Structure formats: C-alpha cells, structure tokens
C-alpha cells in the first residue's frame, strides 16, 4: 500500500495486537477505553521521539546529594488538540507521556451525512481568528503553539483531519503531529497532502476500503459511540 512519506504506520507488535482486540464487536466499552489509551501511549511514544528534542535544563540534586543536569524538551510551546468527541479518549495518554502538562484546545467537527464533508461547530483555540469570507489573507490568531498534537482515533474520508490541519495552520502553528488509532488509505492520503511540509501523521493501522457512508472496512466501528455508550442513539 503506497502512502505519503509523512504518514507513519506503527509496526509495534503489542500495538498491532491491541488494535486487533479493539476491532472486535465483543470488546466492552471499559476495555475500548483502555485499549484506546494503550494504543495512544505506544503511538505517542513513537511519534514524539521524532517530534521533540531533549535539551539541558537547570541543575538539580538527587535524594542522596549528587548534582545533575535536568533534561527538558523542545519545543516547549506544545498543545494537544482533540477532535470532539472521540479524541478525548486519547488525551490522557499523551499528557502522561509529556514531561509537563500542556494546554488542551478542543475542536468540534462533524461530518455532514449527505456530503461527508466536515462542519466545524466548536473551536476554543486561544485568540482564534475565524477566516473572513471576503479575505483569503486573514491573519492567524496569536499565542499559537509551536507544535500541535492532534488526536482523533479514526481518519476515514480525511476531511475532518484536513479541516483541523487547516484551522491550526491559520491559527499560526509551525508543526502538527496527528495521532490516530486507524485510518483509511484514501483518507490519510488526503489529510497528509493538506500541509505536507509541516504535518506528520502517525497511525496504528491502515484499512484499504471505505463503505459508501464513509466508515472504515473492516474498521473499529464508531469509537465515540463505543467510548461513551451511545451506540444506536
């Protein structure tokens, strides 16, 4: 399967086994939450090993009195951007990986059922400046993160992910790392092409097909419904 160079598919054996378990219709909501957290942790470790750089920090002292130089990471202006609602299930894992807590900025996007195109309904990026319909050169918002970590368990058509990337680009971020449990080949290509010079997408698995209504085949179902017990609502 041919994918863009900025799309990275993990080959971690434990991650692959957990993804297989997540696919099962017999996996209960509590285990779905645990599996999404575990997959996010493994995937986040792999992605952030390349996105962050260790740097020397201030001096400190061990419990038995020896001085040492601390380590921190660059860039320091980080944020996590979950795509509502299912992206919430990945936030805790990424916060736990990072050496210090970082801001979480939520983006709400849903797919219009007929066109399958994304519609934004919520955005709490600080000082977000919505693009003007009469001006293609709208200034981005201020206080943008240097690195935004977008978390969304499923990339299907790629429209939602591409829209999130465009929103963050307008906000003023310099680099974006997208973490997703699973993606459709067609959708992840679309997302990767949105801003290829600044975006890296890390996924646990890629499915080749989409159903006519935009679901992955075989996929993992609707992760949001499985996490929040709203299947059939």
């Amino acid at each position: 399967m041919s994918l863009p160079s900025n799309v990275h598919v993990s080959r971690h054996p434990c991650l692959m086994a957990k993804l297989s378990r997540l696919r099962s219709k017999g996996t209960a909501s509590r285990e779905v939450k645990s599996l999404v957290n575990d997959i996010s942790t493994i995937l986040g470790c792999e992605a952030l090993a390349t996105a962050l750089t260790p740097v020397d920090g201030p001096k400190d002292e061990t419990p038995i009195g020896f001085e040492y130089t601390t380590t921190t990471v660059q860039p320091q202006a980080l944020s996590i951007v979950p795509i509502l609602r299912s992206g919430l299930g990945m936030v805790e894992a990424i916060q736990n990986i990072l050496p210090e807590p970082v801001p979480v900025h939520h983006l709400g996007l849903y797919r219009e059922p007929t066109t399958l195109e994304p519609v934004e309904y919520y955005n709490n990026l600080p000082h977000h400046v919505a693009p003007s319909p009469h001006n293609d050169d709208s200034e981005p918002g201020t206080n943008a993160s240097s690195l935004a970590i977008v978390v969304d368990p499923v990339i299907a058509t790629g429209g939602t992910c591409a829209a999130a990337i465009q929103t963050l680009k307008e906000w003023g971020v310099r680099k974006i790392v997208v973490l997703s449990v699973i993606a459709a080949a067609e959708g992840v290509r679309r997302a990767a092409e949105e801003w290829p010079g600044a975006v890296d997408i890390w996924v646990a698995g890629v499915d080749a097909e989409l159903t006519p209504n935009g679901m992955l085949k075989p996929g993992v179902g609707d992760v949001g419904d499985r996490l929040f017990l709203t299947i059939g609502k």
Side-chain angles (χ1 to χ4, degrees):
M1 185 183 298
S2 176
L3 295 171
S5 61
N6 60 333
V7 175
H8 313 276
V9 184
S10 176
R11 302 304 300 169
H12 195 297
C14 294
L15 186 149
M16 296 168 71
K18 288 177 181 289
L19 176 58
S20 177
R21 179 63 185 161
L22 182 63
R23 288 187 189 275
S24 174
K25 68 178 183 180
T27 303
S29 176
R30 183 171 294 177
E31 188 179 358
V32 167
K33 181 179 180 180
S34 176
L35 288 167
V36 169
N37 183 82
D38 291 350
I39 291 169
S40 301
T41 299
I42 298 170
L43 199 61
C45 285
E46 293 183 348
L48 296 178
T50 63
L52 300 177
T53 302
V55 295
D56 288 345
K59 298 290 185 182
D60 201 348
E61 191 174 280
T62 71
I64 56 174
F66 295 108
E67 186 181 82
Y68 73 101
T69 302
T70 61
T71 301
T72 183
V73 298
Q74 293 284 2
Q76 292 186 335
L78 306 173
S79 63
I80 302 171
V81 183
I83 306 301
L84 300 177
R85 63 186 164 160
S86 57
L88 296 173
M90 302 176 71
V91 171
E92 183 178 1
I94 306 308
Q95 285 281 35
N96 287 340
I97 293 169
L98 294 169
E100 298 290 341
V102 302
V104 177
H105 305 309
H106 302 85
L107 285 180
L109 294 151
Y110 72 90
R111 288 191 307 183
E112 201 284 322
T114 305
T115 65
L116 301 182
E117 288 302 308
V119 177
E120 183 180 291
Y121 65 90
Y122 184 76
N123 181 327
N124 79 337
L125 297 174
H127 306 288
H128 174 69
V129 178
S132 166
H134 308 296
N135 180 11
D136 292 334
D137 297 318
S138 298
E139 291 295 323
T142 58
N143 293 338
S145 303
S146 297
L147 172 64
I149 304 166
V150 175
V151 290
D152 190 9
V154 177
I155 298 175
T157 65
T160 296
C161 187
I165 290 167
Q166 183 59 37
T167 296
L168 291 168
K169 182 179 180 181
E170 292 169 359
W171 183 41
V173 302
R174 298 174 186 172
K175 185 171 177 58
I176 298 171
V177 170
V178 178
L179 304 178
S180 188
V181 171
I182 193 164
E186 172 189 336
V188 79
R189 289 189 193 103
R190 176 181 177 183
E193 292 167 359
E194 185 67 24
W195 193 16
V199 174
D200 279 288
I201 301 176
W202 292 76
V203 296
V206 177
D207 286 347
E209 297 182 63
L210 283 172
T211 67
N213 63 342
M215 299 293 287
L216 275 71
K217 181 181 178 181
V220 294
D222 188 312
V223 175
D225 283 346
R226 297 179 75 188
L227 285 171
F228 297 106
L229 294 173
T230 53
I231 294 173
K233 182 177 179 180

